[in-house]
Structure formats: structure tokens, C-alpha cells
Amino acid sequence: MNLVAVMRAFNKGHGKCDCGKCKCDQGWYGDACQYPTHCDLTKKKSNQMCKNSQDIICSNAGTCHCGRCKCDNSDGSGLVYGKFCECDDRECIDDETEEICGGHGKCYCGNCYCKAGWHGDKCEFQCDITPWESKRRCTSPDGKICSNRGTCVCGECTCHDVDPTGDWGDIHGDTCECDERDCRAVYDRYSDDFCSGHGQCNCGRCDCKAGWYGKKCEHPQSCTLSAEESIRKCQGSSDLPCSGRGKCECGKCTCYPPGDRRVYGKTCECDDRRCEDLDGVVCGGHGTCSCGRCVCERGWFGKLCQHPRKCNMTEEQSKNLCESADGILCSGKGSCHCGKCICSAEEWYISGEFCDCDDRDCDKHDGLVCTGNGICSCGNCECWDGWNGNACEIWLGSEYP
């Protein structure tokens, strides 16, 4: 008899444990002394007490004895158990290895709970990334695994979808960070009344139409300007209202992220984040930023003041450092200066250490590369704090402008 049965015997109090086996008191029998030898119940009453929530006697996996289920474990495995024999751990046995959960997890009531690095119904598949990397990929911006709204399997979140139709649900995002239920004044899973009907739900936050404001766009806003006039004032010389970096309300721009002084201007046209490299260094430490452009100190040049004008190496040494793996100098798309590639200015989309990246591969939103909320790094968007999504189009901050 297994340990679970022994513990059941202790809990029932109808016997004593002797060297891992139950010695039952008079009038009781069974592995855990759970069955009385004499029954005062009618068969109908007994069977009624043995029915599970689906009105099936002992889940069709056992027989009923005086209102108690005796599970079918004729082979002595003890894998079928539960008050109504509802747990069948034989479901956890891997067909190939014949081990419980393939030897890589534990079985609880017929379901495998895999160890880190393994997944599948029987824990039969091994992740191709480390448990640490899997956890890192599943960690949402607020530091929670799948935002506490999903399950992490090999670095990918499976969100707990609350949409009863089975379609794209209320909870989504790479780390389940978006919860569209937050856009509804009163949550009703069968209703599509987002943002009080006066805005668009963006990752759980309402982007209100002109003339409305509030967390759920529930408050009307008085403005003497028409929607077209308001947008025209916010657009200025830019192609998009507020340069794609803010929200237009009654002809005035509110730049975002809220409180970030690096984004400013009447139409949010200045974005000093563009002066920073991926490590956050402004103008390579060799210049100052003015409305999103670097003004380099004497002796330095480049978009981020990253190139010194004087070079202390020979031309041959310099070229050796500029050769890509295929032996071509700067991939044939730039010039070499002091061991570093300067990519062709005529082809704005060429970037990378060896001019081997095509920034046209970076996703766009509203016509802007990385939505203007991140840096295109070798074909992938590196989003600034507070933004997420393939094109950095999802705002995750605590406030929404």
C-alpha cells in the first residue's frame, strides 16, 4: 500500500499502521481501513453517495461499498484514487518509457506537472532553452511571469483566455500583459462595449476619440475646434499628429510617455531618446543632444558622435576590423574609418556593425518604424521603457496620455 493510503487510514481512524500496512479495527477492511464490513444503507442510498458531480457512480473506475468508492486497482498499482475514483494517474504514464510523466515531472490526479525545462502532456518534450532563459522571456514588464495571467512553456506565454467563444480573448500579448477587460465600464464577457463607445482599447487602456476623456472615455470634453482643425493644429509640419509621439486633444499635444522630458515640443517633434545608444549613452559621450540630434564635440562625428576624426591605426589594420565574415568590407554598403563601418547615408535603412542589417525589416505602426517608441536594431525593434510589441506600439505605463 502506498503512503497516500496509509495517511488515509490515519485520517479515518479505523486502524493502525504497522510497517507500512494498515491493520484494521474490527468491523472495517480495505487498504486504508475505509470500508465497513456491515452496511446499514440501502443500495440506492449507497449508490447516491458514490456518485460524482456528473452523477456517475465512482467515475466508472470502481465499485460502491456502503456509500464509499472502492477504486479499481486490481494490479496493486494504486494509481486510481479519490473520493469518487476521479483521479487516474495511469493517464500520466508515458507510452514509450512507461514512466510517470516520462520521469520529468509529478502526477496529480491524472495531470502531469513538469519540471523546469520540460513540457507536454507527459513531460515528454525538452525545451531548447534553459529554464532561466524561459523565465526571462515570460517575464512581463511588471516583473511577473506571464503577468500572472498565463502559463509559461519554454519561453512562451499561454494566456488564460476568458473569451467563451474561443476566439482571440480579452487577455493577450507576448507576456499576457494586455487585459481588454480594463477597457469596459462594467465587465460583461458577452459585451463589446469598450471605452464607453468613445475610444479604442489599446492593451487594456483606452485611447479616446476627440472630444472624450477619462480612463474609460466616459467624460465628454468641451472643445470649440472641429476634429479636423484639432488634428491640423497638432500636426504642424509633421506627417502625423503630435509626430506620432503624443495624443492630440483640442489642438494641443500631450507627449508621451507622461513625465518623460526627453520628448517635447509643440507637436512632440523633439525626441532626445534618439540621441541615445542601446546602453543609454547620450551622443556617445562626445556631444550634446538638441531636439533629437547630436551636436558633436570637436574631433568626433557620426549620428551618435561615435567616430573619432583622428585614427591611430594603419589603413590595413582598420580594414581588417571592418571586414565581415564573408570577407567583404562593410558588406559593400559603407566605408571603413578607424576600424568601424560608416554605413551609406543614402540608404538610411542600412545599419549594423558591418552594415549588414536592413532596418526596413523592423515593424512599423502608423507609418513609423518601431512606432517612434524604440530603436531599430538590426531589423528588430528595441523598445524604450514603457513600450512593448513587435513595433513598440503598446504602451504599458501606469498612466495613459
Side-chain angles (χ1 to χ4, degrees):
M1 185 175 63
N2 59 27
L3 180 61
V4 174
V6 175
M7 293 306 297
R8 289 189 191 129
F10 279 123
N11 292 335
K12 297 295 181 183
H14 303 306
K16 294 180 181 179
C17 184
D18 183 11
C19 199
K21 292 185 177 181
C22 286
K23 288 189 175 181
C24 302
D25 296 337
Q26 188 173 354
W28 295 88
Y29 75 101
D31 287 342
C33 304
Q34 69 270 46
Y35 306 116
T37 54
H38 176 72
C39 185
D40 296 326
L41 299 175
T42 64
K43 187 174 182 180
K44 181 178 180 181
K45 180 65 175 177
S46 175
N47 285 345
Q48 193 65 34
M49 293 174 65
C50 286
K51 288 182 178 180
N52 62 16
S53 58
Q54 285 80 40
D55 285 336
I56 301 174
I57 296 174
C58 300
S59 307
N60 286 336
T63 54
C64 185
H65 292 263
C66 199
R68 294 175 174 84
C69 286
K70 185 176 183 181
C71 302
D72 183 13
N73 282 299
S74 55
D75 56 359
S77 63
L79 294 176
V80 184
Y81 57 94
K83 184 178 180 181
F84 303 107
C85 303
E86 70 275 13
C87 296
D88 188 350
D89 284 359
R90 292 174 299 186
E91 297 292 330
C92 293
I93 297 176
D94 188 290
D95 294 334
E96 293 186 7
T97 64
E98 296 186 352
E99 290 185 273
I100 295 289
C101 301
H104 306 298
K106 292 184 178 180
C107 185
Y108 297 98
C109 201
N111 294 296
C112 282
Y113 293 82
C114 306
K115 296 178 182 178
W118 293 86
H119 67 106
D121 292 339
K122 308 288 179 64
C123 304
E124 66 271 37
F125 302 115
Q126 188 172 16
C127 300
D128 56 0
I129 58 176
T130 64
W132 178 89
E133 177 64 15
S134 175
K135 180 179 179 181
R136 186 191 71 79
R137 292 185 187 181
C138 287
T139 302
S140 56
D142 59 5
K144 298 174 183 175
I145 302 298
C146 299
S147 305
N148 285 346
R149 292 193 283 260
T151 304
C152 180
V153 177
C154 292
E156 293 186 3
C157 287
T158 301
C159 304
H160 300 321
D161 192 348
V162 297
D163 184 351
T165 66
D167 295 331
W168 181 53
D170 293 305
I171 299 174
H172 60 98
D174 291 340
T175 56
C176 308
E177 69 276 8
C178 300
D179 191 345
E180 307 295 352
R181 295 173 298 178
D182 293 338
C183 290
R184 293 169 174 164
V186 177
Y187 178 62
D188 177 1
R189 64 170 58 188
Y190 298 101
S191 169
D192 288 327
D193 184 22
F194 290 110
C195 305
S196 307
H198 304 301
Q200 183 176 356
C201 188
N202 181 11
C203 195
R205 291 172 175 84
C206 286
D207 189 2
C208 303
K209 295 178 182 177
W212 294 89
Y213 73 100
K215 190 174 181 182
K216 307 287 177 67
C217 304
E218 67 273 31
H219 302 300
Q221 187 177 54
S222 58
C223 180
T224 58
L225 299 176
S226 67
E228 292 76 14
E229 289 174 327
S230 176
I231 291 176
R232 191 160 52 247
K233 282 199 169 188
C234 289
Q235 192 165 336
S237 59
S238 174
D239 293 333
L240 294 171
C242 305
S243 306
R245 303 187 195 97
K247 184 177 181 181
C248 180
E249 291 180 318
C250 201
K252 293 185 178 179
C253 288
T254 301
C255 305
Y256 52 70
D260 193 335
R261 295 183 178 180
R262 294 174 298 176
V263 184
Y264 56 96
K266 186 176 180 181
T267 58
C268 306
E269 69 275 12
C270 297
D271 188 349
D272 286 356
R273 295 172 300 183
R274 297 191 174 281
C275 292
E276 299 177 4
D277 60 19
L278 293 176
D279 295 322
V281 179
V282 176
C283 299
H286 305 297
T288 57
C289 188
S290 176
C291 196
R293 293 179 179 273
C294 285
V295 180
C296 302
E297 297 173 354
R298 180 177 294 181
W300 294 87
F301 72 101
K303 186 178 178 181
L304 296 177
C305 305
Q306 71 272 40
H307 301 299
R309 293 196 179 277
K310 292 184 178 180
C311 186
N312 294 323
M313 60 178 66
T314 64
E315 186 175 350
E316 185 178 354
Q317 289 174 326
S318 176
K319 287 183 177 181
N320 286 337
L321 293 173
C322 289
E323 285 184 0
S324 54
D326 55 10
I328 299 176
L329 194 69
C330 298
S331 305
K333 299 175 183 177
S335 58
C336 182
H337 174 75
C338 206
K340 291 186 178 181
C341 288
I342 302 175
C343 303
S344 172
E346 296 177 0
E347 298 174 295
W348 62 268
Y349 46 85
I350 300 300
S351 65
E353 185 180 358
F354 299 104
C355 303
D356 51 341
C357 300
D358 191 334
D359 287 352
R360 290 176 297 184
D361 293 336
C362 276
D363 289 318
K364 292 184 179 181
H365 185 71
D366 285 339
L368 290 175
V369 174
C370 303
T371 325
N373 300 318
I375 297 175
C376 185
S377 176
C378 209
N380 293 299
C381 288
E382 297 284 346
C383 304
W384 286 312
D385 290 343
W387 294 94
N388 201 357
N390 291 334
C392 306
E393 75 279 17
I394 301 172
W395 168 241
L396 302 175
S398 56
E399 301 177 46
Y400 192 72

